Amino acid sequence: MLEELVIKDYALIDKLSVHFKDGLNIITGETGAGKSIIVGALSFMLGGKAEIDIIRTGCEEASVSGIIAVGPDNKDVALWLQGKDIAPDDGHIIIRRNLKRSGRGAIYVQDVPVTRNELLELTSYLFDIHGQHEHQALLKKETHRRYLDRFAGIEDQVQAFTTIFLELSEKRKELETSLELEKQRNEKQEILAFAIEEINKANPKPGETAELEAEARKLAEYEKLSTMVMGAADVLVHSDLSVIPLLRKAKTALESASVIDTSLSGLSERFSDLYYELEDASDQLIDYKDSLRFDVNRLEAIEERLTVLFKLKKKYGDSEEAILSYRDQAENELENLAKIEENRALLKDAISKLEQEVSRRASELTAKRQAAATTLASRITQILSTLGMPKAQFVIQVQSKGLNGNAKIIGPYGADDIEFLISANLGEPVKELSKIASGGELSRVMLAIKTVLANTDTVETLVFDEIDTGIGGEVALSVGEHLAQVGKTKQIFCITHLASIAVRADNHLKVEKKIEGDRTVTTLRCLEQSERREEIARMLSGDSAASAALAHADELLSKYNKGRN
């Protein structure tokens, strides 16, 4: 349900903020006041096409935003939002759309940017706009299927069918991939087997290259390393002025001195610790010096091993770990290739069972749709006869998608092509809804559909423009009655020129064109009861102050607006 609409710098609208209620919202106003601008702005926010000439003269950007309450039963919206990782705020979402003179624009749902096609998908679950053909959900065959399935009460069954159909599609793709792989299997097996053998023969170890490079560096710099280590050993122990013998003398002297002056005990202990630590390090250095060996054969062997590892890395990965991972993957793939025939047989069996299940379920859906189509079409035809289309014949065509060889063609929603058709006049053949010339007729068809589906349709807001085109008298009264009936369960916006429809409003809004300064602006506001009386009188006679018109307005409001605002 649309709770608030904010329009800025759109056509003749400077800035407009309107709060809406549920039920039947009637919008009226004098010809040329800008009623179509309001519908255009709403259509723009919902994803309709737009040109830069919608931007108010002298402004650089037009923007429209709306606060929308999402019903808890609208699963389509919940799934769409979940798929985009968008969270409603206390059951509400905000849609914002703008268009700049450069032609660039932006669309946001909450604070998440979306494309126009994504917006159209979302708003198709929330709104139905009827009047201008380009905005008509009713002209889309996919909408026809959804309406029929909703009326038949099989939406959950269709969703379950879609799940199985998608599983079948995935299995078929797996089989197709398997068959393509079979053509290359022998060559692939040879390549994998060679790689596994080569890696196993080399038997690389994680971190091996780093260890070998360190050892090679040590051997290549043997003379320099040996000289440095010998020099360090001489400084510590081997010369007459070596550090350790001198430190031993200092330690001994301090130990004797601390006997005389105990305040030197701490210093004596520190020298003692220093001596033993240095002596231990000296022993390790001498052991390292004694272990130094130069082996030219070992150096050559390391270089050869590094060459082997380098070649493996060029082929299979940039580290020993990557090479081993490649080998493990190759072994798994080789094992899978060896089992390909067995897997293919299991896959074919699974596909066969799924095909039988899909075919069975598709037949069940077809039977239920055909039965529901007859009833739904009859009810819609009956309602149309009261809406100024007494000779109309509404038909719901449920046809097979056709055959592929001997097998019937089945899609994700079943084996049926579903389309709404109509003959608007006696003697005319039924034809596509898009061939209906009058936007008013198309709106009345939707009103009839929505009347039948009032308690099952999850779309919560309907917009009717031009619904009163070419009607009056009893037909207008009937249109108003059906609008009021649907308004009990849906939020409706209806633009009308007929007082007999306007008096049915739960909320009556008026569009006015005013001069502010040197600019023309369009406004929209909700009328109080006294203002409604005058507006109904104007619609009846063109004079909002005429006593006869006011009396007639009072009569209509009393008769058709009991309990309403």
Side-chain angles (χ1 to χ4, degrees):
M1 184 184 89
L2 180 63
E3 294 189 350
E4 182 178 358
L5 184 67
V6 178
I7 307 171
K8 185 176 181 182
D9 297 329
Y10 184 98
L12 294 179
I13 297 175
D14 178 16
K15 185 171 183 180
L16 180 66
S17 178
V18 187
H19 292 268
F20 299 109
K21 300 177 183 179
D22 57 4
L24 177 56
N25 295 269
I26 292 292
I27 300 175
T28 62
E30 295 184 1
T31 301
K35 297 184 291 296
S36 61
I37 294 176
I38 302 298
V39 175
L42 179 59
S43 175
F44 171 72
M45 186 194 75
L46 300 180
K49 293 181 180 179
E51 303 294 337
I52 59 172
D53 56 8
I54 67 168
I55 302 173
R56 182 170 167 78
T57 302
C59 299
E60 292 300 315
E61 175 184 341
S63 65
V64 184
S65 61
I67 300 175
I68 300 165
V70 179
D73 296 329
N74 200 326
K75 297 179 182 179
D76 293 326
V77 173
L79 288 173
W80 191 95
L81 294 173
Q82 184 179 354
K84 298 292 186 295
D85 198 23
I86 299 174
D89 184 6
D90 193 25
H92 293 74
I93 59 172
I94 296 176
I95 295 176
R96 293 181 288 126
R97 186 180 180 191
N98 63 40
L99 180 66
K100 299 179 183 294
R101 287 211 175 271
S102 63
R104 299 178 64 86
I107 304 171
Y108 295 90
V109 177
Q110 302 294 63
D111 291 323
V112 179
V114 299
T115 66
R116 190 173 76 88
N117 284 336
E118 288 173 332
L119 177 63
L120 283 169
E121 181 183 9
L122 169 63
T123 56
S124 71
Y125 303 134
L126 293 164
F127 292 82
D128 278 336
I129 297 185
H130 312 290
Q132 297 299 320
H133 282 208
E134 69 232 37
H135 303 308
Q136 292 281 12
L138 188 55
L139 299 181
K140 301 174 183 176
K141 291 174 67 175
E142 173 56 25
T143 302
H144 302 173
R145 180 197 63 78
R146 283 163 47 192
Y147 285 156
L148 179 58
D149 288 348
R150 196 161 289 160
F151 177 76
I154 59 173
E155 285 187 298
D156 289 342
Q157 188 176 345
V158 172
Q159 186 175 358
F161 172 87
T162 302
T163 300
I164 295 177
F165 178 84
L166 293 177
E167 183 182 356
L168 173 60
S169 298
E170 287 299 317
K171 295 291 185 185
R172 284 172 171 167
K173 288 180 182 178
E174 287 181 34
L175 180 59
E176 184 179 345
T177 301
S178 173
L179 292 171
E180 290 177 357
L181 188 59
E182 171 67 13
K183 302 173 185 177
Q184 309 166 9
R185 185 174 66 159
N186 292 336
E187 180 181 351
K188 187 71 172 177
Q189 283 178 315
E190 290 180 5
I191 293 172
L192 292 172
F194 176 83
I196 293 168
E197 181 181 2
E198 186 176 27
I199 294 171
N200 285 339
K201 183 178 179 180
N203 193 25
K205 302 293 189 298
E208 183 178 357
T209 297
E211 293 177 3
L212 290 174
E213 287 177 343
E215 186 178 355
R217 188 165 54 251
K218 176 180 173 182
L219 289 171
E221 300 284 344
Y222 171 78
E223 290 187 5
K224 186 175 181 180
L225 177 62
S226 178
T227 298
M228 290 179 176
V229 172
M230 287 291 292
D234 287 343
V235 170
L236 289 173
V237 294
H238 291 158
S239 66
D240 293 338
L241 297 176
S242 297
V243 172
I244 290 179
L246 293 175
L247 186 58
R248 185 188 302 115
K249 290 181 180 179
K251 177 181 81 71
T252 301
L254 277 172
E255 287 174 349
S256 299
S258 64
V259 173
I260 300 171
D261 184 355
T262 57
S263 66
L264 294 172
S265 296
L267 187 59
S268 174
E269 289 178 2
R270 290 176 63 190
F271 265 82
S272 179
D273 291 342
L274 182 61
Y275 168 75
Y276 289 120
E277 178 65 25
L278 189 58
E279 187 178 47
D280 182 63
S282 175
D283 291 341
Q284 291 184 38
L285 180 62
I286 292 170
D287 290 341
Y288 177 82
K289 176 181 71 68
D290 293 340
S291 70
L292 283 176
R293 298 286 187 277
F294 176 73
D295 186 345
V296 68
N297 293 328
R298 175 58 182 163
L299 182 58
E300 291 176 357
I302 290 173
E303 291 174 348
E304 290 177 2
R305 179 61 176 173
L306 287 172
T307 299
V308 170
L309 294 174
F310 176 76
K311 290 179 179 179
L312 288 178
K313 289 178 182 179
K314 287 189 68 176
K315 289 183 178 181
Y316 308 119
D318 57 3
S319 67
E320 289 84 5
E321 291 82 358
I323 294 169
L324 293 172
S325 176
Y326 181 94
R327 180 198 61 189
D328 294 341
Q329 293 175 11
E331 288 176 341
N332 288 334
E333 189 173 351
L334 193 61
E335 183 179 351
N336 290 335
L337 287 172
K339 294 179 179 179
I340 196 168
E341 289 294 341
E342 178 184 350
N343 292 340
R344 188 182 295 124
L346 294 173
L347 196 55
K348 286 180 177 179
D349 183 60
I351 288 173
S352 177
K353 291 179 180 178
L354 282 171
E355 286 176 339
Q356 293 176 30
E357 180 67 8
V358 164
S359 179
R360 181 186 68 80
R361 292 189 180 220
S363 296
E364 290 179 357
L365 291 176
T366 297
K368 291 182 179 181
R369 283 167 174 160
Q370 288 173 340
T374 301
T375 304
L376 178 58
S378 175
R379 292 188 186 179
I380 292 172
T381 298
Q382 184 179 0
I383 294 173
L384 287 175
S385 68
T386 68
L387 298 177
M389 302 175 71
K391 303 300 182 182
Q393 184 64 35
F394 192 85
V395 175
I396 299 178
Q397 182 175 271
V398 180
Q399 288 187 328
S400 169
K401 289 180 177 292
L403 296 175
N404 183 10
N406 294 324
K408 59 184 177 182
I409 298 174
I410 300 176
Y413 305 108
D416 311 309
D417 273 332
I418 299 165
E419 186 170 13
F420 291 176
L421 305 172
I422 191 170
S423 169
N425 300 292
L426 184 65
E428 291 185 2
V430 294
K431 53 189 176 182
E432 300 172 8
L433 294 181
S434 59
K435 301 293 176 63
I436 295 178
S438 165
E441 285 181 325
L442 199 55
S443 293
R444 277 174 267 159
V445 170
M446 178 53 77
L447 178 57
I449 293 172
K450 293 295 182 177
T451 300
V452 177
L453 299 178
N455 295 321
T456 57
D457 188 14
T458 56
V459 172
E460 298 175 61
T461 301
L462 314 177
V463 181
F464 290 102
D465 189 12
E466 301 182 359
I467 197 169
D468 55 9
T469 302
I471 66 170
E474 292 184 3
V475 174
L477 290 173
S478 180
V479 169
E481 181 181 352
H482 283 289
L483 285 169
Q485 180 181 340
V486 177
K488 293 177 181 179
T489 57
K490 306 292 180 185
Q491 180 188 47
I492 298 179
F493 293 95
C494 179
I495 293 177
T496 185
H497 300 277
L498 299 179
S500 54
I501 293 177
V503 293
R504 298 276 189 171
D506 295 307
N507 311 290
H508 191 155
L509 301 104
K510 185 177 181 180
V511 179
E512 296 176 290
K513 187 185 290 184
K514 298 180 178 180
I515 303 297
E516 294 184 356
D518 58 351
R519 298 296 298 274
T520 301
V521 297
T522 292
T523 64
L524 176 67
R525 63 188 181 86
C526 190
L527 298 180
E528 299 294 336
Q529 190 65 20
S530 60
E531 294 176 309
R532 285 198 65 196
R533 176 173 177 260
E534 294 176 359
E535 176 65 3
I536 297 298
R538 180 197 66 77
M539 297 175 74
L540 287 168
S541 68
D543 185 354
S544 62
S547 58
L550 287 170
H552 192 185
D554 289 337
E555 181 183 353
L556 289 175
L557 288 168
S558 175
K559 183 175 182 179
Y560 296 112
N561 199 244
K562 292 179 180 179
R564 292 187 171 88
N565 296 332

